[in-house]
Amino acid sequence: MPPRRPDLPAACEAPSPEKIALSSDEYRDMVENLSEGIYRSTPGGRVLLANRALANMLGYSVEELLRKDITRDVYLDPKDREQNLRALAVDGFVFHYGLKLRKKNGDVILVEETSRAVHDDSGNVIYYEGIIEDVTERRSSEREARYFRDLFEAAVENVSDGVIHLALDGTVQYVNSVIEVNTLLKREQIIGKHFSDVWPHPPTLPHEKYRTWAEAFEAVVETRKPVALANFPIRYRNPRSAVETAFALRMVPQIIDGQLRGVIVFVEYFTEQLRLQQQILQSEARYRSLVENASEAIWTVDTEGRFASVNQSFERMTGRTQESLIGVSFWEAGLIAPEFVDLVRFQFQSKMEGAPGRMYEIEIVDAAGNRVPAEITSQLLYVEGRLSGVLGIGRDIRERKKLERELLSTRNHLQSIFDNALDGIIATDAAGIVVGWNRGAERIFELGREEMLGQSVNRLFPQDQGLQLHPVRRGLMCGEAMSDLEVEWKRPDGKLVYLNVSISPIRDETGKVQGASAIARDITERKKLEVALQHLVITDHLTETYNRYYFDQLLEKELARSQRSGESLSVISIDIDGFKEINDRYGHLVGDRVLQESARILKTSLRNSDTLVRYGGDEFLILLPETDQDEIPHVVRRIEGKLKHWNESETFLDCALSFSVGCATCEEGRDFEKSLKIADQLMYENKNRKRDALSS
């Protein structure tokens, strides 16, 4: 198929010349003021465009940079350029490609490049363009930060002492693994809490100045001097047991840049002594230790439902002592929220009658009147083979209820983000059925949530769009990952939109694909801008004809095609007669209009396969593929006819508009420069004959 001027998509109609000029100025301002470097280069590597940021980054002026070859003068390793071009040939885009560039003074900088290839209708690369960011300092800082972080973690995690980092308000910011091992608490159970909540201190400490841990901490904060405390017992509790330990402790102020940022606590544990003490305690009262130190509340009632015993966890949960409860029935002790009393009585009676027990939830009212959600289980209690009552176990589920509320809040928050995201978000199950469809998807696809939920995702892919949308359908149906895929999609109303689509598989805990999620972003406006920018690059904005840059690109392809096919390639050189005099007499505004009208006359005289170019000033070239010398006169006569009609109908000039024409043919694409010189020579001979005829 012969080359032709690229058609603009329906959603991206080319703007008027005035809008293009305005858009061009705004675009240039935007490019020149970016902090990142912007460039455009030919496929061969010659720099066509560069902004000040890129020139400054490389130590050149913009004018110097425009004379450079990227591969030879800028890339430190030419193989980086080759690898970049290979990636562009496959994907069309390269994102954040790390490489090294050479500055004018020879220094090497680390950069990240995001680039793309711009093609014509035939799929050939017109030019490459990209954004370059200098990441030299950032990479250096990242390496230094990683080094010191790794050094710190290796040092702190491998010492034999426990290490605690406290903020100035006493909140725990960090503990090492030694603290976890010795406290039987996970880091997440400690970090974020006040130290006195994790390790409640005894009434007094064996120290000459500081009687409490808090006093020692406050002294370090106030004096900015370290404090060393002798061995003393610290009591703390974990979810399974109450443990008493002893250790030597040293508090050191953390001063950074002259500012007190916190306190570092070093702890030396006496683990062997503690282990022996624990063994003694376990051997003395194994059963009582299990019951008393259980995290669950445990109690027993007799066959009438009256309390016989309770453990410490029950006392803590209810705020009542065992002495105050003995002999009082469970449902009459004021322990149960009124709306749960009948449920508790029913469960007790059912259990006594031999019914299988089940877990149920109630709310316990503690001594302060606070409601404590609890999960209750029970079983019959036998002594010497006779039924003596019921053993009850209660679990404080405040944390679980809190987590459930937080989970619900998080789910609602995520649902709000999902619903209100500007991008379209779609989720499918393993069968390709739509299970998620947010408002962004409704807006982009103009299909309602009710229309799509429960429907096959195939509904999104009409048959007339099946081929180019096939990767998206495969990703959603099969959970195949893909990112930043640009596609066209036709809405139900026929309007064409451009989308950037990324798809991720949804997997279960075993890694099996259970569906897919897709994010679709409407990039129609960006595409419009790209088309407008491409139009600016290849078009003369005054005459709306192709410019010399486009002619050079097109000529290379046409010569190659002519050589392959053996067909002739002809060229017509056209110059406006007396254009300088028109400018001098009527002014440049009239001169501009003459150029525009001349371009319109020439364009309407050509075939679809011909290409009109404003070659410079008032000179135009017409490239005629598959056209020999015998066919050129037909084109010239059409031009003369259109020009004659224009002169008869237009009146803004008081003189006739005329062209000087020269023609030449290049056989089989050989020596086109000679043919162009011949056409120019004939055109000037034509112009001279006219000038001589007027002067005689």
Side-chain angles (χ1 to χ4, degrees):
M1 177 182 289
R4 59 184 178 84
R5 180 174 175 174
D7 293 329
L8 300 178
C12 303
E13 293 296 331
S16 66
E18 293 80 10
K19 288 185 178 179
I20 290 175
L22 179 61
S23 173
S24 177
D25 292 339
E26 291 175 347
Y27 172 73
R28 290 191 186 96
D29 290 341
M30 178 180 70
V31 169
E32 286 302 319
N33 290 301
L34 284 175
S35 60
E36 294 87 1
I38 304 291
Y39 79 92
R40 181 177 293 157
S41 70
T42 66
R46 182 169 59 87
V47 179
L48 298 174
L49 179 149
N51 67 347
R52 285 192 299 269
L54 181 59
N56 294 337
M57 188 187 302
L58 297 174
Y60 293 98
S61 68
V62 173
E63 291 74 21
E64 288 178 314
L65 195 55
L66 291 178
R67 295 194 294 271
K68 297 299 179 181
D69 180 277
I70 285 183
T71 306
R72 183 184 65 247
D73 302 323
V74 178
Y75 276 61
L76 182 65
D77 186 352
K79 292 182 180 179
D80 282 337
R81 172 74 171 177
E82 296 172 5
Q83 185 173 350
N84 201 359
L85 295 184
R86 284 196 297 272
L88 286 171
V90 174
D91 301 320
F93 280 86
V94 173
F95 293 93
H96 301 298
Y97 179 72
L99 53 96
K100 297 178 180 179
L101 299 184
R102 183 190 300 109
K103 299 178 66 173
K104 181 179 179 180
N105 62 5
D107 291 345
V108 176
I109 60 174
L110 300 176
V111 302
E112 287 184 352
E113 178 181 354
T114 297
S115 57
R116 69 163 189 156
V118 178
H119 303 81
D120 59 19
D121 280 355
S122 301
N124 298 304
V125 176
I126 301 175
Y127 54 83
Y128 298 107
E129 61 183 10
I131 300 175
I132 295 178
E133 180 184 4
D134 187 347
V135 298
T136 306
E137 293 184 2
R138 189 181 79 194
R139 292 288 177 82
S140 176
S141 298
E142 289 173 351
R143 286 194 298 270
E144 186 176 356
R146 284 196 299 269
Y147 170 78
F148 284 106
R149 183 194 63 201
D150 295 341
L151 186 64
F152 170 81
E153 290 182 353
V156 172
E157 288 296 329
N158 291 286
V159 296
S160 59
D161 291 344
V163 179
I164 308 166
H165 177 208
L166 300 177
L168 294 179
D169 62 357
T171 304
V172 180
Q173 303 296 304
Y174 169 84
V175 296
N176 69 349
S177 57
V178 176
I179 297 295
E180 286 185 295
V181 170
N182 284 277
T183 63
L184 303 180
L185 294 171
K186 297 294 184 182
R187 294 187 191 189
E188 54 266 27
Q189 297 174 280
I190 301 174
I191 293 175
K193 296 183 179 180
H194 194 273
F195 67 84
S196 62
D197 295 330
V198 182
W199 299 282
H201 55 73
T204 58
L205 299 179
H207 193 275
E208 58 185 6
K209 284 187 177 181
Y210 312 113
R211 307 307 296 170
T212 66
W213 187 347
E215 289 178 3
F217 174 82
E218 290 169 1
V220 174
V221 172
E222 182 177 351
T223 65
R224 298 192 177 190
K225 294 181 179 180
V227 168
L229 300 177
N231 301 348
F232 61 94
I234 295 294
R235 289 186 179 274
Y236 63 90
R237 296 187 183 276
N238 63 68
R240 294 182 300 277
S241 63
V243 179
E244 184 178 87
T245 185
F247 51 81
L249 181 145
R250 179 177 174 83
M251 294 184 176
V252 179
Q254 180 193 29
I255 300 176
I256 301 176
D257 295 332
Q259 298 291 322
L260 181 63
R261 300 299 178 87
V263 174
I264 307 297
V265 182
F266 297 94
V267 185
E268 181 183 1
Y269 284 94
F270 301 97
T271 54
E272 184 61 23
Q273 293 92 322
L274 296 177
R275 187 179 65 83
L276 293 174
Q277 291 176 7
Q278 186 67 22
Q279 288 178 347
I280 294 172
L281 290 174
Q282 290 177 349
S283 64
E284 289 178 344
R286 181 180 180 85
Y287 172 76
R288 182 169 297 279
S289 175
L290 289 173
V291 173
E292 289 299 323
N293 295 303
S295 59
E296 296 88 355
I298 301 175
W299 66 93
T300 59
V301 295
D302 61 19
T303 55
E304 300 298 325
R306 296 184 295 263
F307 279 106
S309 66
V310 300
N311 71 345
Q312 293 179 6
S313 294
F314 188 94
E315 292 180 331
R316 287 192 297 271
M317 179 190 292
T318 63
R320 294 172 173 83
T321 63
Q322 176 172 271
E323 290 75 13
S324 66
L325 293 172
I326 298 299
V328 181
S329 67
F330 193 90
W331 45 86
E332 293 177 352
L335 293 171
I336 307 169
E339 63 269 28
F340 294 99
V341 170
D342 290 340
L343 173 62
V344 172
R345 192 192 300 269
F346 172 78
Q347 289 292 331
F348 174 76
Q349 293 174 348
S350 298
K351 175 61 67 175
M352 293 298 294
E353 293 171 1
R358 65 180 181 87
M359 188 178 297
Y360 59 98
E361 293 182 7
I362 64 171
E363 287 188 0
I364 290 176
V365 180
D366 66 16
N370 300 312
R371 290 190 172 216
V372 180
E375 185 179 74
I376 307 299
T377 57
S378 60
Q379 63 182 52
L380 294 176
L381 186 62
Y382 291 89
V383 176
E384 297 181 355
R386 293 196 317 175
L387 179 63
S388 63
V390 174
L391 170 69
I393 301 174
R395 296 176 180 85
D396 185 339
I397 57 174
R398 277 178 290 193
E399 284 300 318
R400 192 184 80 188
K401 289 294 184 180
K402 179 183 177 182
L403 290 175
E404 289 175 352
R405 290 192 298 270
E406 291 175 352
L407 178 61
L408 179 60
S409 175
T410 300
R411 174 184 285 178
N412 291 338
H413 179 65
L414 293 176
Q415 186 67 43
S416 176
I417 294 174
F418 174 84
D419 289 337
N420 296 292
L422 294 177
D423 294 338
I425 303 177
I426 306 166
T428 61
D429 62 15
I433 301 301
V434 177
V435 295
W437 187 267
N438 75 337
R439 296 191 186 103
E442 290 182 327
R443 182 176 57 257
I444 291 173
F445 295 98
E446 292 191 347
L447 292 169
R449 176 184 174 90
E450 293 75 13
E451 294 179 82
M452 290 304 300
L453 289 182
Q455 300 294 317
S456 171
V457 76
N458 283 324
R459 183 174 177 183
L460 286 177
F461 308 106
Q463 291 184 354
D464 59 343
Q465 302 182 69
L467 186 60
Q468 68 108 8
L469 290 175
H470 178 69
V472 180
R473 173 163 46 191
R474 186 176 66 247
L476 287 171
M477 293 292 292
C478 306
E480 183 176 330
M482 59 185 64
S483 62
D484 295 310
L485 181 67
E486 293 191 1
V487 297
E488 298 177 3
W489 193 81
K490 187 184 295 182
R491 286 176 172 168
D493 62 2
K495 183 178 179 181
L496 193 66
V497 295
Y498 292 82
L499 304 177
N500 179 285
V501 181
S502 295
I503 298 176
S504 301
I506 299 174
R507 304 180 185 274
D508 61 15
E509 62 277 4
T510 66
K512 183 179 179 181
V513 174
Q514 297 295 307
S517 65
I519 298 177
R521 176 169 296 173
D522 188 342
I523 59 171
T524 304
E525 291 303 318
R526 193 191 80 190
K527 282 293 184 181
K528 289 180 181 179
L529 178 59
E530 289 175 355
V531 170
L533 292 177
Q534 183 181 12
H535 183 74
L536 286 173
V537 169
I538 65 175
T539 306
D540 174 61
H541 77 275
L542 178 62
T543 61
E544 281 297 300
T545 61
Y546 289 117
N547 58 20
R548 189 165 181 171
Y549 168 75
Y550 180 76
F551 176 78
D552 292 340
Q553 304 292 321
L554 177 63
L555 178 61
E556 185 178 342
K557 293 184 290 184
E558 288 298 339
L559 288 174
R561 190 158 70 100
S562 178
Q563 291 170 1
R564 290 195 306 270
S565 65
E567 296 286 349
S568 300
L569 178 64
S570 296
V571 62
I572 300 176
S573 178
I574 300 172
D575 193 84
I576 302 173
D577 295 331
F579 182 72
K580 182 178 183 304
E581 289 76 11
I582 292 174
N583 263 338
D584 294 342
R585 181 177 177 183
Y586 299 101
H588 290 288
L589 291 179
V590 173
D592 288 348
R593 184 174 175 186
V594 169
L595 286 171
Q596 293 169 340
E597 291 296 321
S598 298
R600 186 172 63 83
I601 292 168
L602 294 172
K603 282 191 284 189
T604 57
S605 305
L606 302 181
R607 305 167 298 182
N608 289 336
S609 59
D610 303 332
T611 302
L612 175 64
V613 176
R614 184 184 178 190
Y615 203 61
D618 59 337
E619 184 179 356
F620 293 88
L621 289 182
I622 300 174
L623 197 63
L624 301 104
E626 301 179 7
T627 305
D628 56 26
Q629 284 183 320
D630 296 335
E631 296 176 278
I632 295 177
H634 299 295
V635 180
V636 174
R637 283 195 293 273
R638 283 200 302 271
I639 294 173
E640 291 172 344
K642 295 288 184 179
L643 180 60
K644 179 181 178 183
H645 176 74
W646 186 89
N647 281 321
E648 292 172 351
S649 59
E650 291 293 337
T651 60
F652 77 89
L653 287 177
D654 58 6
C655 60
L657 180 64
S658 65
F659 301 150
S660 292
V661 179
C663 310
T665 299
C666 174
E667 298 296 340
E668 298 181 359
R670 293 193 294 270
D671 204 356
F672 182 82
E673 288 187 6
K674 180 179 179 181
S675 299
L676 183 57
K677 288 179 181 179
I678 293 172
D680 281 340
Q681 182 178 351
L682 293 174
M683 181 268 290
Y684 283 113
E685 290 176 359
N686 186 0
K687 184 180 287 290
N688 291 333
R689 284 195 298 272
K690 291 180 182 180
R691 186 181 296 113
D692 294 342
L694 289 174
S695 61
S696 61

